[in-house]
Amino acid sequence: MRIYKPEKVSEILSEMKESSGLLQILEAHKQLKKVWQKIPDPTLKGLDLVVSLDTNGILLIECPSSVTLYYVRSRQDMIESFLHEQMQEFPIRQVNITLSKR
């Protein structure tokens, strides 16, 4: 006869989050999305940007047009200083701002 020890789902998920790189990236992406909504530049919040996190520690900001790309690149220092704490918590090594391939 086997004896099973019940485990809470929250405990299992917390163990998985610590061991799985993918779950860490998903958590970082969720936190990044919350922080991005608090960025002090209202123009940046209103732009149709795709902000994503790479597994290699690269924050990728994709812009839909060249005008948007120019504006976001001109605000890169402000973005990096605003996200500095987030970049330390989740090891973001680099910020890439590119034109979207849509």
Side-chain angles (χ1 to χ4, degrees), residues 39-85:
I39 204 159
D41 188 341
T43 305
L44 276 175
K45 284 194 281 190
L47 294 175
D48 184 28
L49 302 174
V50 177
V51 181
S52 59
L53 212 58
D54 191 352
T55 55
N56 297 326
I58 298 173
L59 176 66
L60 182 62
I61 303 173
E62 294 182 37
C63 304
S65 69
S66 58
V67 175
T68 306
L69 178 68
Y70 178 78
Y71 181 77
V72 174
R73 281 191 177 161
S74 70
R75 306 297 291 167
Q76 183 170 358
D77 290 338
M78 189 273 304
I79 292 169
E80 288 178 356
S81 66
F82 182 74
L83 297 176
H84 180 72
E85 184 179 312

Side-chain angles (χ1 to χ4, degrees), residues 3-9 11-12:
I3 298 175
Y4 293 100
K5 179 185 167 199
E7 292 185 57
K8 292 183 179 181
V9 173
E11 292 173 0
I12 294 171

